[in-house]
Amino acid sequence: MEGSWPQQEGWLLGLLLSLLLQGSSTFTQNSNSFTINCSGFDVNGLNKTAFKSVFDRKAFRPVVNFSIPTRVNISFTLSAILEVNAQIQLLTSFLWLEMFWENPFINWNPEECGGITDLTVAAENFWLPDIFIMEFMDIDQTPTQLVAYVNSKGHIKYKKPMKVTSICNLDIFYFPFDQQNCTLTFTSFLYTVNDMLLGLDKEVWEMAKTSQHLIQNQGEWQLLGINKATRKLAVGSSLYDQIMFYVAIRRRPRLYIINLLVPSGFLIAIDALSFFLPAEGGNRPPFKMTLLLGYTVFLLMMNDLLPASGTPLISVYFALCLSLMVVSLLESIFLTYLLNLVTTQPPPMPHWLHWLLLHYLRATDCYKKSQKDNGGPDPKPLHLPGLKEPGVKAGPAKAWLDGDPQSPWEQLDHQQKVDIWVKFSLILDTFLFWIYLAFMTSSLITVIVLWIN
Ligand SMILES: *[C@@H]1O[C@H](CO)[C@@H](O)[C@H](O)[C@H]1NC(C)=O
Ligand SMILES: *[C@@H]1O[C@H](CO)[C@@H](O)[C@H](O)[C@H]1NC(C)=O
Ligand SMILES: *[C@@H]1O[C@H](CO)[C@@H](O)[C@H](O)[C@H]1NC(C)=O
Ligand SMILES: *[C@@H]1O[C@H](CO)[C@@H](O)[C@H](O)[C@H]1NC(C)=O
Ligand SMILES: *[C@@H]1O[C@H](CO)[C@@H](O)[C@H](O)[C@H]1NC(C)=O
């Protein structure tokens, strides 16, 4: 097909060259046959009739030999990430798509044309490649009336803005510390590999850099990078060329940290600290109830900020905080009930409990005594949060402590029974507080570790 090659080698070499150079070889071969006569352009301005032969062919793919595929080089610049909707799994972004291809029927000699090397021509006059994005889930709102740059060698540059609403597999489990990896696949709508090949005009890192520079606004999403994969797409018996771009974006979590995590953290800390309120006064349940109410209102107000679908870790975290608060409220109600019961009508204590309590109290009492002997400060008995010396005389309890654990419950007087039960309740309170604290710490650490990874 290369006219200048000797006949015998020409066929093989021509085939090789046509495979290597594809579009451009067609162009050189026909450079003379399709020259546009542009004399007078520098004096009279451009004349449409000169391009008539080109414009008349716009219905067909611009190649001389239809066995040769048109090579379209593409690149895009992401100029904005408008919205990421996890509920309907859509990413709305704005991009500028650039396409480059050769039209062998356009060719002129710049010297004859007053030095014109580039022209802008209304794009509707040309054949345009039907490149589309496979993930596109909307009507293409590309404006019409766009123009294309044409140079004297028939190289066409066409650029169009696109608002892309693309489907993307969004995983919001790690919200608000999530990253998303969305795919944009550029392919021809109709032309198979026999007719159209796609190539890259720029390196992907260049595209990513330009895009990052453009998206300098402080929106919710930050562009991390762009990767590409090229593979042919087989649909039925046809093979289509395609270029896949992986667009990695990351959410800026500051808004959510300040509005969701910090207030929630404060509330749960106050809930933990409210264990230090005296258990006997009966102040604790109302306090915790108020806190719970506050937390519920907080959750209601902040509901708009949460993703509407899926179960992100943050929802689990909120549910956990809420359950911790409910459990601590239940605990303080139970304790108030218990204290109330035992101070009015102490029930008989089970033997094993009696025994256990006695041993525990003796152990802590010994500790207290040794502290006293060493002249140390008199510590509060048992170091209970919220423990006040019960409003009863220590005498009878002391006698009971020194007594025999086997001594029958019935032999103790009312005051002693109350005293023992109150001691038991306060120990139980401390015990439950430590369990609560351990559970809270471990679950919060689990959630945080999951988030960090
Ligand atoms: C180009 O067109 C002009 C008239 O518009 C004509 O005089 C000239 O010969 C043409 N040149 C060629 C190379 O056809
Ligand atoms: C454009 O060129 C054609 C022939 O080449 C000529 O007949 C016509 O008058 C020209 N039109 C203008 C506006 O110069
Ligand atoms: C068109 O191209 C094909 C493959 O490159 C080649 O075999 C064929 O001879 C070409 N036809 C013409 C008319 O040049
Ligand atoms: C497309 O890119 C390839 C290689 O990157 C290059 O050889 C070819 O000339 C380009 N084609 C166009 C139309 O820009
Ligand atoms: C995005 O996902 C694709 C596969 O689905 C993977 O090849 C690519 O590395 C991912 N990119 C990032 C930045 O995670």
Side-chain angles (χ1 to χ4, degrees), residues 52 102 127 196 198 219 231 319 360 366 368 404 424 426 436:
K52 192 171 182 304
E102 308 279 356
W127 171 91
M196 192 184 284
L198 297 182
R231 71 176 105 118
Y360 177 74
C366 282
K368 189 175 114 184
D404 180 13
F424 166 73
L426 297 180
Y436 170 89

Side-chain angles (χ1 to χ4, degrees), residues 130-151:
D130 60 345
I131 305 290
F132 83 115
I133 298 174
M134 268 166 59
E135 288 80 12
F136 205 92
M137 287 291 142
D138 204 353
I139 299 156
D140 191 359
Q141 291 162 347
T142 305
T144 51
Q145 318 280 323
L146 290 173
V147 292
Y149 251 107
V150 183
N151 79 0

Side-chain angles (χ1 to χ4, degrees), residues 259-260 263-264 267 288-306 318 322 325:
N259 285 320
L260 295 176
S264 176
L267 285 173
K288 286 196 190 259
M289 191 63 229
T290 318
L291 214 58
L292 192 63
L293 196 70
Y295 197 68
T296 319
V297 173
F298 161 76
L299 284 187
L300 271 179
M301 282 173 62
M302 292 303 157
N303 206 22
D304 292 347
L305 283 180
L306 291 178
F318 285 150
L322 196 70
M325 285 183 165

Side-chain angles (χ1 to χ4, degrees), residues 286-443:
F287 183 81
K288 286 196 190 259
M289 191 63 229
T290 318
L291 214 58
L292 192 63
L293 196 70
Y295 197 68
T296 319
V297 173
F298 161 76
L299 284 187
L300 271 179
M301 282 173 62
M302 292 303 157
N303 206 22
D304 292 347
L305 283 180
L306 291 178
S309 69
T311 315
L313 201 54
I314 198 166
S315 301
V316 179
Y317 165 79
F318 285 150
L320 201 80
C321 289
L322 196 70
S323 3
L324 277 174
M325 285 183 165
V326 169
V327 166
S328 85
L329 176 65
L330 287 179
E331 191 266 356
S332 47
I333 290 173
F334 170 70
L335 211 77
T336 313
Y337 163 77
L338 191 69
L339 278 171
N340 191 38
L341 181 78
V342 300
T343 43
T344 50
Q345 195 152 34
M349 189 175 264
H351 187 73
W352 59 270
L353 190 59
H354 189 181
W355 184 85
L356 216 65
L357 186 64
L358 199 63
H359 276 258
Y360 177 74
L361 281 178
R362 272 187 181 155
T364 47
D365 204 52
C366 282
Y367 167 72
K368 189 175 114 184
K369 259 189 201 150
S370 65
Q371 280 253 316
K372 246 184 192 163
D373 293 346
N374 296 344
D378 185 10
K380 276 203 160 249
L382 311 176
H383 295 277
L384 290 177
L387 176 75
K388 290 196 301 194
E389 277 291 357
V392 291
K393 288 162 281 165
K398 191 99 186 72
W400 170 73
L401 265 180
D402 297 334
D404 180 13
Q406 306 301 327
S407 68
W409 176 261
E410 290 73 26
Q411 284 179 9
L412 300 169
D413 63 25
H414 177 80
Q415 192 54 63
Q416 274 177 322
K417 285 177 185 169
V418 169
D419 192 23
I420 291 163
W421 268 114
V422 166
K423 269 204 156 54
F424 166 73
S425 308
L426 297 180
I427 290 169
L428 185 69
D429 186 35
T430 322
F431 182 64
L432 290 176
F433 170 67
W434 284 114
I435 290 183
Y436 170 89
L437 215 59
F439 183 72
M440 184 172 96
T441 329
S442 55
S443 47

Side-chain angles (χ1 to χ4, degrees), residues 180-194:
Q180 306 296 348
N181 184 0
C182 291
T183 318
L184 295 176
T185 311
F186 292 83
T187 183
S188 166
F189 197 61
L190 195 63
Y191 294 108
T192 60
V193 278
N194 299 326

